[in-house]
Amino acid sequence: MDPMLTFLVILIGMYGLSTSKNIIKSVFSVTIIESGVILLFLNLGNWRGGSIPIINGAADIIADPLPQALMITTIVIGSTVTALALMLCIKVFHHYGTVEWREILRRGEGK
Amino acid sequence: MLHIPIFLIIIPVVSAIVIYIVKNKHVNYLALVAQAVMTVLAIVYFHHFYQDGAFQPQTFIIGLWDDVGIPIRTDGLSMSFVFLTLFSWWMVLLYTFNTKETDHDFVFFMLFLQGVFLGLLQTNDLFNMFVFVELTTIIVTILVAFNKTPKSFRAGLYYLLINTSGVLAFLIGIIFLYFTFGTINISVITAEMLAVAPTTAMRFTYVLLMAGISVKAALFPVFTWLPKAHGAARAGISALLSGLVVKGGLYLFIRINAMFAEAGYQYTDFFFVIGALTAIIGIVFAISQTDIKQMLAYSTVSQIGLIVVGLSSTDALVYSGGVLHIFNHALFKVLLFMAAGMLIKVYQTKYVTDMRGVMRSMPLLGIAMLFAMLSITGAPMFNGFISKSVIMYGFDTTDLRYWVLFVANIGTATLFVKMSQIFFGPKTFSLRFHNKLQDATLIVLSVMLIVFGNFYITIGQGFFGADFSDITLTLAKALEYIIILGVAYLLYRFLVRPDGQLVRRLRHFTLSFEVANYLFVTYLLVMMLYFVVWL
């Protein structure tokens, strides 16, 4: 996969973030950007198509292990953020009865 | 001795977990014990490496294997931030201290946030920096939503999503740095920066990093999350967020610009404009508010603009004035938010228009607030005066930039003239504060304001290696302060107090989330045009 394609994924996420008026869609857009970033890092780390970074003397080209180690952390953080955001979405929906940003921000204290 | 920075990160996290698991009546005292141990350790560490009138930078690498590992580096700047962090957490822990059952969770998140924040200050590894920033975002979100009111959930969600998108931009920047340099060690990158600096890719990286930091530091087009989050949180949390956690973004600003120092990008003009816009727009919004916490939150935005103006100066003295203002602002903003929390509790309202007679009802609180207000408006003998004078020191009175800052100062004075109306009026409550700890925090912070306002030469040399001895109180400066107050009173009397349509419209102005993100993308594009195409 071309690293440039991952930029497309990031841009799609950014487009979604700056146009969608729905909280759930905003959460998804953040997740999409995050996926794009992870794919970008992994692709750049292994653009020559090497094998897994476990050295047993067989492979000539191996992938850079550092991006993989770092991206595991990013995935964990990303899932935490998504879980927290969705929890807050549920709470907001219970109090306001809607998941539209404009509606929520316009109202003072909710129902 | 070199292990102490790690203990500073681990002790709060471990004691937070113990408090969360044990959950009994006395375990909250563990927070104070942990805090005391950390303070002692930090002082011992600082004292041990303090030689020849300055703190000697120390590097410690965890998991050392052929010079590869997770580096931790402390220098004078990060140590001064560490002490500020410990001090602010002391104040907020004492202010909110309570052994009630429900407070265990609160103390857990508070201590955890401290550990993460201390990690952010001491790491020398870009990816760890990202992890700590993102962890700070997550914990702050939980703390903002801790009140469990609809408003706080909304503010927490807004905060979480916009900051995450900013931090992801920061992460893309880190990726480019890794594939350019083959390392994410900040010291190594700093040393090798000159060779690759002119390439377009490196400018692009700088823009991405700076865009992410701007969101964290709440600079002009992307500050909209700050008033929402800081207005919705509890008083103690707001104090911490405004006083310190926002400064995490400014700390990154300093670090990343230091990393790109060799590259010689002309960032000073751009960030001067951004900082000045932040200062003025923040204060205009602040004046229009009537909710005391919203007023203080917007004032934080404005003060951050002032700090960025100081930090984006080529003059070393003005630069250290910006750094000093970070500390001064932390002191008085923590004090103001704490006092605001007490007022809201006593008066059962958050609108300054409904609070009257504070000086007669609660003299101690009134005097502490008065001190903080004098400081933030830059009254002589208080700490705000010093850092504001240092920042203004670099500009002549004939310079347009001087007058931009002057306007921001008048705005700040107007805001606090408006807020000071709560002091006057008859005694409305015969109620006194019985919480001795909260009174004590107010007294300690007020004393610190005066200490920082009078012993700035020693403090400046000890921590920042800067010589502030040129900054003295002259008659002209005292006169200037009186003029500013006079203009501010007239503005308040004839523009703000009538509460015209313009003021009311500004008060209810709010940006929807997608518009805020749209602004973020626009900001990113403007920065790219400026740094990649223009320069």
Side-chain angles (χ1 to χ4, degrees):
Chain A
M1 195 173 161
D2 196 291
M4 276 301 156
L5 281 180
T6 58
F7 265 108
L8 200 63
V9 178
I10 295 171
L11 288 179
I12 289 171
M14 278 189 157
Y15 174 77
L17 210 51
S18 44
T19 53
S20 57
K21 296 179 171 60
N22 187 309
I23 294 179
I24 303 282
K25 284 185 188 167
S26 300
V27 177
F28 286 174
S29 305
V30 169
T31 320
I32 290 170
I33 298 182
E34 202 157 86
S35 311
V37 173
I38 292 166
L39 281 175
L40 173 69
F41 208 169
L42 291 181
N43 267 305
L44 285 174
N46 193 18
W47 58 278
R48 287 176 301 179
S51 66
I52 49 169
I54 298 172
I55 300 174
N56 57 2
D60 293 338
I61 306 170
I62 52 164
D64 188 352
L66 191 73
Q68 304 188 354
L70 299 186
M71 283 308 109
I72 282 287
T73 318
T74 312
I75 291 169
V76 172
I77 292 176
S79 62
T80 316
V81 169
T82 314
L84 184 59
L86 288 176
M87 183 277 278
L88 289 170
C89 280
I90 294 170
K91 289 287 182 188
V92 164
F93 182 71
H94 279 178
H95 285 291
Y96 290 93
T98 175
V99 281
E100 297 288 317
W101 277 114
R102 275 171 202 271
E103 282 284 308
I104 289 162
L105 294 173
R106 209 184 57 214
R107 278 195 226 161
E109 284 293 333
K111 278 197 278 197
Chain B
M1 196 55 74
L2 276 167
H3 291 67
I4 285 177
I6 304 169
F7 283 118
L8 289 183
I9 303 169
I10 288 176
I11 288 173
V13 171
V14 170
S15 48
I17 293 170
V18 170
I19 288 171
Y20 188 74
I21 292 172
V22 176
K23 274 194 186 163
N24 76 22
K25 210 172 156 191
H26 304 293
V27 79
N28 276 11
Y29 288 103
L30 181 62
L32 301 183
V33 175
Q35 196 71 17
V37 171
M38 283 157 64
T39 313
V40 170
L41 282 179
I43 290 171
V44 167
Y45 183 73
F46 184 78
H47 185 73
H48 190 262
F49 293 110
Y50 189 83
Q51 282 147 7
D52 308 329
F55 182 78
Q56 307 301 319
Q58 298 298 323
T59 311
F60 178 71
I61 298 176
I62 308 168
L64 190 67
W65 180 70
D66 286 353
D67 283 340
V68 182
I70 303 168
I72 282 184
R73 187 170 187 276
T74 46
D75 55 11
L77 182 73
S78 48
M79 278 320 279
S80 54
F81 266 83
V82 165
F83 282 118
L84 180 69
T85 311
L86 290 170
F87 178 73
S88 308
W89 249 272
W90 263 119
M91 290 297 112
V92 175
L93 270 180
L94 291 178
Y95 179 82
T96 57
F97 194 73
N98 203 330
T99 50
K100 269 192 301 188
E101 188 78 21
T102 46
D103 272 39
H104 300 314
D105 300 353
F106 182 71
V107 175
F108 168 74
F109 286 118
M110 285 280 289
L111 278 181
F112 210 108
L113 180 62
Q114 187 181 17
V116 170
F117 197 77
L118 286 173
L120 172 66
L121 298 178
Q122 300 179 95
T123 184
N124 197 27
D125 177 285
L126 277 170
F127 191 76
N128 271 355
M129 209 175 235
F130 159 76
V131 171
F132 284 129
V133 170
E134 190 63 14
L135 275 180
T136 319
T137 310
I138 292 170
I139 298 171
V140 167
T141 307
I142 297 170
L143 285 173
V144 167
F146 211 82
N147 269 353
K148 298 196 176 69
T149 60
K151 210 179 161 190
S152 63
F153 285 130
R154 175 182 80 183
L157 193 56
Y158 196 100
Y159 175 85
L160 177 67
L161 291 181
I162 201 160
N163 274 281
T164 306
S165 58
V167 173
L168 284 174
F170 188 74
L171 182 61
I172 302 174
I174 293 175
I175 293 172
F176 286 149
L177 280 179
Y178 175 70
F179 286 107
T180 311
F181 293 96
T183 177
I184 41 178
N185 185 326
I186 295 176
S187 304
V188 177
I189 294 177
T190 312
E192 292 173 2
M193 180 55 74
L194 193 58
V196 290
T199 58
T200 311
M202 207 30 59
R203 288 172 181 275
F204 189 69
T205 309
Y206 178 76
V207 168
L208 284 169
L209 290 171
M210 274 300 148
I213 289 166
S214 301
V215 175
K216 284 304 288 181
L219 297 187
F220 157 54
V222 281
F223 65 84
T224 46
W225 58 266
L226 190 143
K228 285 186 178 40
H230 293 197
R234 282 188 188 184
I237 298 299
S238 305
L240 211 53
L241 296 188
S242 263
L244 210 65
V245 177
V246 182
K247 310 292 165 44
L250 292 171
Y251 179 79
L252 292 183
F253 184 89
I254 297 172
R255 280 279 174 247
I256 299 296
N257 274 324
M259 196 169 84
F260 280 87
E262 284 292 316
Y265 299 148
Q266 301 292 314
Y267 69 91
T268 51
D269 290 342
F270 183 82
F271 282 107
F272 177 86
V273 172
I274 292 290
L277 280 174
T278 314
I280 289 176
I281 289 173
I283 205 66
V284 166
F285 277 114
I287 292 169
S288 72
Q289 303 294 320
T290 51
D291 177 344
I292 186 166
K293 283 174 83 178
Q294 291 284 331
M295 285 165 91
L296 292 175
Y298 275 113
S299 152
T300 302
V301 174
S302 160
Q303 296 289 315
I304 285 169
L306 191 63
I307 295 168
V308 169
V309 166
L311 290 181
S312 57
S313 171
T314 42
D315 188 337
L317 187 68
V318 180
Y319 182 85
S320 43
V323 180
L324 185 65
H325 201 61
I326 293 180
F327 291 81
N328 291 339
H329 177 254
L331 292 177
F332 48 64
K333 202 41 80 65
V334 168
L335 176 51
L336 281 170
F337 263 114
M338 284 176 170
M342 289 163 144
L343 286 175
I344 291 171
K345 205 171 166 190
V346 171
Y347 283 85
Q348 295 291 326
T349 176
K350 52 188 182 176
Y351 298 107
V352 282
T353 43
D354 299 340
M355 298 173 186
R356 285 293 178 266
V358 172
M359 227 24 140
R360 291 223 173 83
S361 315
M362 293 171 281
L364 179 82
L365 178 68
I367 289 168
M369 259 189 112
L370 183 67
F371 276 18
M373 285 181 186
L374 286 173
S375 266
I376 197 170
T377 48
M381 306 297 286
F382 287 94
N383 61 359
F385 168 74
I386 309 300
S387 40
K388 280 195 181 182
S389 308
V390 179
I391 292 173
M392 305 276 264
Y393 189 77
F395 310 120
D396 279 328
T397 44
T398 50
D399 198 334
L400 180 68
R401 296 184 284 181
Y402 177 87
W403 294 102
V404 171
L405 295 185
F406 195 75
V407 168
N409 270 353
I410 289 178
T412 309
T414 313
L415 173 70
F416 286 98
V417 166
K418 180 176 180 180
M419 199 182 277
S420 66
Q421 300 305 310
I422 62 172
F423 292 152
F424 308 114
K427 185 171 179 173
T428 43
F429 286 90
S430 54
L431 180 145
R432 276 183 64 244
F433 262 102
H434 294 297
N435 194 332
K436 296 244 169 22
L437 279 177
Q438 295 195 342
D439 283 351
T441 52
L442 290 187
I443 294 170
V444 170
L445 281 165
S446 316
V447 170
M448 286 299 280
L449 292 181
I450 297 175
V451 168
F452 264 70
N454 291 296
F455 300 100
Y456 53 94
I457 297 177
T458 334
I459 292 169
Q461 267 170 352
F463 280 110
F464 315 122
D467 185 17
F468 292 135
S469 52
D470 283 356
I471 309 299
T472 46
L473 178 60
T474 57
L475 194 63
K477 280 198 180 131
L479 208 62
E480 185 185 306
Y481 181 69
I482 292 168
I483 291 171
I484 286 179
L485 272 192
V487 174
Y489 182 75
L490 291 178
L491 268 176
Y492 167 73
R493 183 70 186 75
F494 294 107
L495 200 71
V496 183
R497 205 167 78 169
D499 206 25
Q501 189 160 18
L502 180 71
V503 178
R504 267 179 288 147
R505 198 168 280 178
L506 272 175
R507 186 184 311 152
H508 298 296
F509 179 81
T510 177
L511 275 184
S512 185
F513 180 75
E514 76 273 7
V515 184
N517 262 293
Y518 194 72
L519 279 179
F520 173 56
V521 176
T522 317
Y523 178 65
L524 198 67
L525 288 177
V526 169
M527 275 180 89
M528 274 180 200
L529 280 180
Y530 185 78
F531 282 106
V532 181
V533 182
W534 180 264
L535 282 181

